[in-house]
């Protein structure tokens, strides 16, 4: 394995975040997850945090730093959907999604950057979505929040790139988690028909890309958008 790192994943109690935590653990890293409820996988340190609350994130980072030392790899994964068509979308539907998916990533990265700047090393990974650049009817709020993460990673790259810090976006397509299980069967079938791979992916297929981009072999990759979508978003 490569260098052992201190890793923090937001929303690591279930879904893709949990799979990411498991993959880092399997590769021998020290892993912490934030959770609003429940626990991360065995072997990970679980700390309570809500990404819409900067103070709770600050306390979570402080607890992780006390246990492991500075966070070297941060994965901003926590996210929500509030899908509905534009004319039915309330301002709350819009701002709640932005507050969690976009401002939540900003709060997480800002707090993580303190230790990374001091260490002159860091790996920032933002979990976006294929719909950020592809677009999706009924997801004006969600796709806007996910597209914005691309601008964030690229600005972070320009601002922090000279300090040994990389910032990349991983853009999953259709992954089998609670988030997608909530979609109607008809919509799931439509998606499947439009994915060149002809199938959905497991969370671990995203997780293995995240651990690779955080690893020693990926130190010269920054500001990239890495699709894990079976070809769905090609060219976007
Ligand atoms: N599934 C997909 O097909 C897919 C595709 C593209 C991108 N993504 C992205 O991948 C990420 C993970 O998605 P998933 O499918 O694993 O979703 P999920 O199964 O619904 O899990 C979402 C995770 O985010 C956490 N979370 C939500 N709001 C939070 C908040 N305010 N503060 C702290 N944690 C919060 C949840 O915590 P609680 O358990 O406490 O609610 C949970 O751990 C999201 O950013 C999502 O947009 C998913």
């Amino acid at each position: 394995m490569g260098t052992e790192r201190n890793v923090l994943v937001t929303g690591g109690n279930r879904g893709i975040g949990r799979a990411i935590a498991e993959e880092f653990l399997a590769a021998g890293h020290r892993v912490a997850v934030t959770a609003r409820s429940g626990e991360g996988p065995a072997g990970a340190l679980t700390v309570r945090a809500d990404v819409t609350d900067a103070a709770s994130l600050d306390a979570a980072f402080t607890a992780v730093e006390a246990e492991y030392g500075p966070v070297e790899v941060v994965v901003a994964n926590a996210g929500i959907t509030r899908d509905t068509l534009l004319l039915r979308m309330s301002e709350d539907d819009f701002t709640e999604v932005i507050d969690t998916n976009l401002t939540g990533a900003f709060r997480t990265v800002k707090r993580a950057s303190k230790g990374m700047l001091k260490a002159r090393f860091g790996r920032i990974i933002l979990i976006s979505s294929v719909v950020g650049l592809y677009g999706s009817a009924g997801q004006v709020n969600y796709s806007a929040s996910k597209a914005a993460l691309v601008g964030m990673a690229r600005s972070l790259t320009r601002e922090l790139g000279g300090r040994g810090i990389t910032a990349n976006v991983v853009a999953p397509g259709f992954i089998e988690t609670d988030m997608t299980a909530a979609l109607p069967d008809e919509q799931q079938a439509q998606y499947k028909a439009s994915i060149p791979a002809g199938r959905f992916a497991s969370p671990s297929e995203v997780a293995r890309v995240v651990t690779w981009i955080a690893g020693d072999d990926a130190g010269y990759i920054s500001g990239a958008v890495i699709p894990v979508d079976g070809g769905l978003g090609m060219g976007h």
Side-chain angles (χ1 to χ4, degrees):
M1 84 168 237
T3 316
E4 195 178 315
R5 302 287 182 196
N6 301 330
V7 180
L8 185 137
V9 183
T10 65
N13 51 311
R14 59 193 173 99
I16 294 173
R18 187 184 182 91
I20 292 170
E22 284 168 349
E23 203 61 38
F24 275 113
L25 284 166
H29 301 284
R30 288 174 293 267
V31 181
V33 305
T34 76
R36 290 185 302 185
S37 57
E39 298 285 321
L45 172 68
T46 300
V47 288
R48 294 279 159 235
D50 186 320
V51 298
T52 64
D53 175 1
S56 80
L57 270 174
D58 183 45
F61 270 86
T62 303
V64 174
E65 286 161 353
E67 191 79 15
Y68 293 158
V71 171
E72 299 167 290
V73 177
V74 70
V75 185
N77 163 79
I80 57 167
T81 51
R82 293 281 181 274
D83 297 355
T84 190
L85 296 174
L86 176 64
L87 286 179
R88 288 197 202 125
M89 190 175 285
S90 69
E91 203 167 310
D92 279 352
D93 290 333
F94 191 84
T95 53
E96 261 181 53
V97 168
I98 297 292
D99 194 26
T100 302
N101 298 4
L102 177 57
T103 319
F106 161 74
R107 294 182 189 103
T108 303
V109 166
K110 184 175 174 186
R111 180 61 179 78
S113 72
K114 288 183 188 176
M116 292 178 176
L117 283 165
K118 244 185 244 161
R120 299 185 75 85
F121 176 87
R123 294 276 187 273
I124 296 168
I125 297 135
L126 309 179
I127 306 299
S128 176
S129 164
V130 64
V131 308
L133 300 179
Y134 195 68
S136 169
Q139 294 197 301
V140 162
N141 49 1
Y142 182 78
S143 61
S145 74
K146 294 299 187 181
L149 295 176
V150 177
M152 184 183 288
R154 291 183 171 168
S155 296
L156 289 167
T157 292
R158 294 199 188 281
E159 194 170 321
L160 309 178
R163 310 281 195 88
I165 299 170
T166 67
N168 290 289
V169 168
V170 171
F174 198 110
I175 315 301
E176 284 163 344
T177 68
D178 296 344
M179 187 176 270
T180 45
L183 294 172
D185 287 350
E186 194 188 315
Q187 206 172 338
Q188 295 201 23
Q190 265 173 18
Y191 276 127
K192 209 176 257 180
S194 60
I195 299 166
R199 65 174 181 91
F200 304 146
S202 71
S204 66
E205 290 182 280
V206 178
R208 287 198 289 269
V209 174
V210 172
T211 52
W212 177 77
I213 201 76
D216 294 344
D217 289 342
Y220 202 57
I221 301 175
S222 199
V225 180
I226 299 156
V228 188
D229 63 3
L232 176 62
M234 279 190 297
H236 290 270

